[in-house]
Amino acid sequence: MAAVQVPNGSPSPRRASHPHQQFPASRMYDLQQELSSVQLEAKQILAHLVSKLKETDSKYYGRYGKWIERHPRQQLEEFCFRCVRPQVWAYLGGRCSLDALKSIGGDLKFEGRSVYLDGVLGLDRRVRVYIGQAGSLRQRVAQHLNFRYRRDNPSLHYHAMQNSIYNTIGCLAILPSSNLGNHTLPGMDCPDLLLNLLEMWMCLAFRTLPSQTLDVWLSEMEGVNKGRKEGKEGEIGGLNIASPLDHGVKQTEWIDLSDSDDPLVLEYMSPTPWSKRDVEHRKQNGVRHVKKEDEYDETKEHDTPAQRKKNYAETARRYMSKDEGGIHVPQWVALGALAVALGLVLFNSRGGPQPQPRVRFR
């Protein structure tokens, strides 16, 4: 078991130590003859995903269509299954919880391409999951645990880690090395696209994408629940925003998360302090540890340029009304004059020039 704990506000997150095991580059996981119900659902999702990418009217056809057509569909899907670690199916087939996420584990010091998972327990005691990919899992985990890297690369995932109690990282799938003739394996002629496909597949299986993205890919599938996973700590939230299929593309599709029912997502997307409605929404959902700067301030509702101009005019009018019928002498002028007079008195009495006595010589 490989668990990673990131205390909130700690400058140096601590990772639980585990023995280092080198993963053989040519090793693949065996595929069972009889698939479980979870594996059958995952197989259905993968087949639907591959078929959608092959459609000529799909926006992904230009990048994925020809690559998928070069490989027999059955062999490509079987190869994807053999890349996934058995602990993933054990987790999806059991009761989802933070402890179950810890059991996924894996070798976090692996230097090759992989798809990983980060389960985050928030301050509101809710578990959220992020799924990502890495060219080097060891380097990627080190970046996640570096608070300076998280500060310089803001994201929803890092926002959740900053407002968390505990998190655990596990390895979901591993690609074999491209050397030793492995480039002839299904999909390994373009390992970057294969890694995107695996990550997208895992995001759909774990339901970590936004609800509108899940609707696009899962709504046409019969017998597949497109909702979030339910676990011991309640609904398992998702921390993925962008589609993994767009990884490596400069311009990606923007997704509107303003209708999300997750208070953490709304907090991340909001550029301004919380309104009264949002604070009440957070309290109703049992969100604790509301930041002081996020508390509702009624005076901020009237803090507009027109209101500030009006307040300034009223202040100036009150100031002028006090001085009608008389001459106003600023206090600093009176104090300054008094200080000068006192200085002159002291100078003449002690510090001024004194007359020299005259001495006569006879």
Side-chain angles (χ1 to χ4, degrees):
M1 180 181 70
V4 180
Q5 181 178 3
V6 183
N8 184 29
S10 174
S12 57
R14 179 169 53 89
R15 181 177 62 186
S17 60
H18 57 82
H20 172 60
Q21 298 177 355
Q22 184 65 31
F23 185 87
S26 60
R27 176 183 173 183
M28 301 295 296
Y29 297 100
D30 295 332
L31 185 62
Q32 300 177 359
Q33 295 295 334
E34 295 184 2
L35 301 180
S36 63
S37 59
V38 174
Q39 290 175 321
L40 289 175
E41 179 183 285
K43 182 180 180 181
Q44 184 180 359
I45 294 175
L46 178 60
H48 179 71
L49 176 61
V50 173
S51 63
K52 295 289 287 185
L53 295 177
K54 288 178 59 178
E55 295 179 356
T56 55
D57 57 346
S58 172
K59 66 176 182 179
Y60 296 107
Y61 178 80
R63 190 181 183 195
Y64 292 90
K66 298 296 183 181
W67 169 69
I68 293 178
E69 292 173 354
R70 289 198 298 266
H71 307 283
R73 177 174 174 176
Q74 183 177 359
Q75 294 183 10
L76 180 61
E77 294 178 3
E78 181 180 348
F79 181 77
C80 291
F81 258 95
R82 296 187 63 191
C83 292
V84 179
R85 301 179 62 246
Q87 290 81 355
V88 175
W89 311 123
Y91 167 80
L92 293 175
R95 186 182 183 186
C96 300
S97 65
L98 182 65
D99 293 333
L101 286 173
K102 297 177 186 178
S103 64
I104 294 179
D107 184 11
L108 302 185
K109 295 183 179 180
F110 179 59
E111 299 285 355
R113 296 185 179 94
S114 58
V115 177
Y116 63 92
L117 170 148
D118 187 8
V120 182
L121 177 63
L123 298 176
D124 54 358
R125 302 291 177 175
R126 181 178 177 182
V127 177
R128 298 173 177 87
V129 174
Y130 172 81
I131 292 178
Q133 62 172 268
S136 172
L137 182 58
R138 180 175 185 172
Q139 180 181 1
R140 193 67 176 135
V141 171
Q143 290 174 342
H144 287 335
L145 299 182
N146 189 329
F147 81 99
R148 292 185 178 88
Y149 184 87
R150 299 197 303 268
R151 177 197 61 191
D152 298 337
N153 298 271
S155 64
L156 177 60
H157 175 208
Y158 290 160
H159 180 71
M161 291 183 66
Q162 183 64 25
N163 296 274
S164 67
I165 302 173
Y166 183 89
N167 79 302
T168 177
I169 299 178
C171 182
L172 302 180
I174 292 179
L175 285 186
S177 175
S178 56
N179 55 14
L180 301 177
N182 290 332
H183 63 280
T184 60
L185 295 174
M188 285 298 294
D189 53 340
C190 293
D192 295 339
L193 298 183
L194 180 59
L195 200 60
N196 291 352
L197 179 63
L198 284 173
E199 183 186 359
M200 183 66 178
W201 181 30
M202 290 292 100
C203 286
L204 293 176
F206 281 82
R207 312 295 197 271
T208 62
L209 291 167
S211 57
Q212 53 265 49
T213 306
L214 295 177
D215 291 340
V216 171
W217 292 97
L218 301 180
S219 59
E220 300 178 0
M221 303 180 60
E222 297 181 359
V224 176
N225 183 12
K226 61 183 179 181
R228 303 285 185 187
K229 296 287 186 179
E230 292 289 339
K232 179 180 178 181
E233 293 85 1
E235 185 181 81
I236 307 296
L239 297 175
N240 288 87
I241 299 179
S243 172
L245 298 175
D246 295 328
H247 186 78
V249 179
K250 294 182 179 180
Q251 295 182 353
T252 59
E253 182 181 359
W254 183 80
I255 299 177
D256 184 13
L257 300 178
S258 59
D259 294 334
S260 175
D261 57 353
D262 191 339
L264 183 71
V265 177
L266 296 177
E267 180 182 0
Y268 170 73
M269 298 300 296
S270 177
T272 58
W274 285 91
S275 64
K276 185 176 182 180
R277 178 182 59 83
D278 293 330
V279 173
E280 293 298 330
H281 176 75
R282 297 173 78 185
K283 292 180 179 179
Q284 291 176 3
N285 286 272
V287 181
R288 306 173 184 174
H289 302 279
V290 179
K291 294 182 180 180
K292 185 176 181 180
E293 59 267 24
D294 291 342
E295 294 179 354
Y296 175 71
D297 187 0
E298 294 182 355
T299 59
K300 292 182 179 180
E301 283 190 354
H302 307 287
D303 190 17
T304 61
Q307 186 64 31
R308 288 196 297 267
K309 184 177 180 180
K310 181 179 179 181
N311 294 338
Y312 177 80
E314 292 178 355
T315 303
R317 185 167 55 254
R318 288 195 302 267
Y319 178 79
M320 295 299 296
S321 63
K322 294 180 181 179
D323 302 329
E324 291 180 355
I327 300 176
H328 175 72
V329 179
Q331 184 178 6
W332 67 270
V333 175
L335 293 177
L338 181 61
V340 171
L342 182 60
L344 291 176
V345 172
L346 294 176
F347 179 79
N348 292 331
S349 61
R350 296 181 180 180
Q354 301 294 331
Q356 297 294 333
R358 296 182 179 181
V359 180
R360 294 182 179 181
F361 296 94
R362 294 181 180 180

